């Protein structure tokens, strides 16, 4: 199950993580976000080489603004505290695996 991140926990959970972190910027009212959530959860449950976290853009507008999130869902991939990739929209499990693995 993905961890819900706030501005207060972002540094500790994402920037300081020793594993790559997939950050899912989402909104509860977003249909594609609701479709993507089980895909992320399935992948997260089948692998232990990355961490998945969620940020509700309506609850954490400062984080959304910090990373220029203009559409949801938007996924950011962090490695060693650095944002290395981003993609917006729904992804299949295969596309999500490729997004995580190709850096």
């Amino acid at each position: 199950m993905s961890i819900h991140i706030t501005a207060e926990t972002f540094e500790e959970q994402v920037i300081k993580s020793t594993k790559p972190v997939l950050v899912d910027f989402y909104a509860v009212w977003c249909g594609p976000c609701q479709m993507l959530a089980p895909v992320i959860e399935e992948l997260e449950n089948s692998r232990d080489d990355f961490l998945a976290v969620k940020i509700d853009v309506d609850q954490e507008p400062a984080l959304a603004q910090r990373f220029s999130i203009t559409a949801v869902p938007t996924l950011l991939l962090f490695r060693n505290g650095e944002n290395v990739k981003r993609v917006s929209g729904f992804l299949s499990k295969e596309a999500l695996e490729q997004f995580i693995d190709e850096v």
Side-chain angles (χ1 to χ4, degrees):
M1 179 96 157
S2 299
I3 299 167
H4 288 267
I5 296 293
T6 65
E8 292 77 31
T9 60
F10 185 83
E11 180 82 17
E12 188 66 34
Q13 295 289 331
V14 178
I15 302 300
K16 293 182 178 179
S17 177
T18 57
K19 290 183 178 182
V21 181
L22 179 69
V23 180
D24 175 16
F25 283 90
Y26 78 103
V28 295
W29 47 262
C30 166
C33 299
Q34 303 309 318
M35 292 169 42
L36 183 59
V39 175
I40 294 171
E41 188 171 339
E42 180 183 348
L43 191 59
E44 183 181 24
N45 289 337
S46 67
R47 297 173 55 161
D48 64 357
D49 61 336
F50 78 100
L51 176 66
V53 301
K54 299 176 75 65
I55 298 175
D56 184 332
V57 297
D58 292 326
Q59 298 295 317
E60 298 295 333
L63 281 175
Q65 184 177 17
R66 176 177 170 185
F67 293 102
S68 302
I69 304 302
T70 58
V72 288
T74 293
L75 301 175
L76 302 183
L77 185 64
F78 284 79
R79 289 189 193 272
N80 302 315
E82 296 292 324
N83 177 16
V84 295
K85 289 178 88 173
R86 85 184 284 142
V87 65
S88 293
F90 176 79
L91 296 176
S92 67
K93 182 180 176 187
E94 295 77 20
L96 183 57
E97 282 187 293
Q98 187 175 18
F99 176 77
I100 293 168
D101 292 337
E102 286 185 353
V103 174

